Amino acid sequence: MERDITELKQQQIKLKTSAMLDGSTGLYNKKTSEHMIRQRLGKQSEGQKYALFMIDIDDFKAINDSYGHMEGDAVIAQTALQLKKLFSPADITGRFGGDEFIVFFDEISHRKEIEEKAEKIKEMLRSAGMNVSFSVGIAVSEGRNMTFEVLYKKADSALYATKQRGKDGYTIDTMSEV
């Protein structure tokens, strides 16, 4: 007895893919992003550097409160679209929740490269007609044995520092070496 299971296999692939993605943006979801970043960090060789960008839409609650949730959803979708354009498919770009995005930027060679990406985030999002600002926190891996938790904590602290300075900017974790 023979059976063609092509359609069943295609449905399984679609389900697996949809479980990895954020339904609103098409970016990786938090769980998938974290898993993929852990894998990359586990394979990191000595001297190889990565940067973790945490990107937060400033005053997002005010957007929802003033313009409604549909406008808030449009801002989220437009942010995701612009991040996909800015970063390579080799980079891990995900939605970490609400108005927070995360990008694991692959193979950094120097600090200027990180600063240029941070500036491009602001430029690209504004040039897309988005009248919102973004705060960015950035941490850089420091060679082998860097854990996701440490890198995330550093990026989160850098994001908080940006918010404390008035938002609409970026901070690179000062403990990170580039």
Side-chain angles (χ1 to χ4, degrees):
M1 182 173 174
E2 285 185 34
R3 240 175 102 192
D4 184 5
I5 60 168
T6 305
E7 189 175 318
L8 178 62
K9 287 290 186 187
Q10 288 173 340
Q11 286 176 341
Q12 287 175 338
I13 291 169
K14 277 184 181 179
L15 284 172
K16 185 177 179 183
T17 302
S18 70
M20 295 172 59
L21 302 177
D22 172 68
S24 300
T25 63
L27 299 176
Y28 292 117
N29 62 30
K30 181 178 181 174
K31 184 178 178 180
T32 302
S33 298
E34 189 174 326
H35 176 74
M36 292 174 74
I37 293 168
R38 286 179 192 281
Q39 284 184 318
R40 293 257 181 102
L41 288 171
K43 295 176 184 175
Q44 188 174 11
S45 60
E46 196 61 44
Q48 189 175 24
K49 295 181 180 176
Y50 299 122
L52 181 67
F53 288 67
M54 290 183 65
I55 303 157
D56 186 78
I57 301 171
D58 294 329
D59 304 314
F60 184 71
K61 184 179 179 335
I63 294 169
N64 278 336
D65 291 348
S66 299
Y67 303 104
H69 289 277
M70 286 183 70
E71 183 64 27
D73 290 347
V75 168
I76 294 285
Q78 186 64 23
T79 301
L81 178 66
Q82 297 305 316
L83 289 174
K84 283 181 195 177
K85 288 179 182 179
L86 180 59
F87 288 92
S88 157
D91 300 322
I92 299 166
T93 307
R95 182 174 178 201
F96 240 52
D99 64 326
E100 188 173 273
F101 298 85
I102 193 165
V103 179
F104 191 70
F105 185 36
D106 219 345
E107 301 189 29
I108 304 301
S109 56
H110 50 81
R111 184 181 181 98
K112 186 171 176 75
E113 192 175 1
I114 295 167
E115 292 169 349
E116 288 170 355
K117 280 289 187 187
E119 287 296 331
K120 284 182 180 179
I121 288 170
K122 289 171 56 177
E123 290 170 21
M124 181 173 253
L125 296 170
R126 289 214 175 95
S127 69
M130 297 178 67
N131 191 22
V132 294
S133 65
F134 298 85
S135 293
V136 182
I138 305 164
V140 180
S141 67
E142 299 168 345
R144 301 176 86 169
N145 301 321
M146 174 60 73
T147 65
F148 173 78
E149 288 78 15
V150 170
L151 197 60
Y152 182 84
K153 186 175 180 180
K154 287 180 177 197
D156 193 44
S157 292
L159 175 65
Y160 182 76
T162 303
K163 296 254 184 208
Q164 288 294 102
R165 280 198 322 275
K167 306 175 185 175
D168 193 24
Y170 66 91
T171 303
I172 300 173
D173 176 69
T174 56
M175 298 302 290
S176 298
E177 297 175 11
V178 186

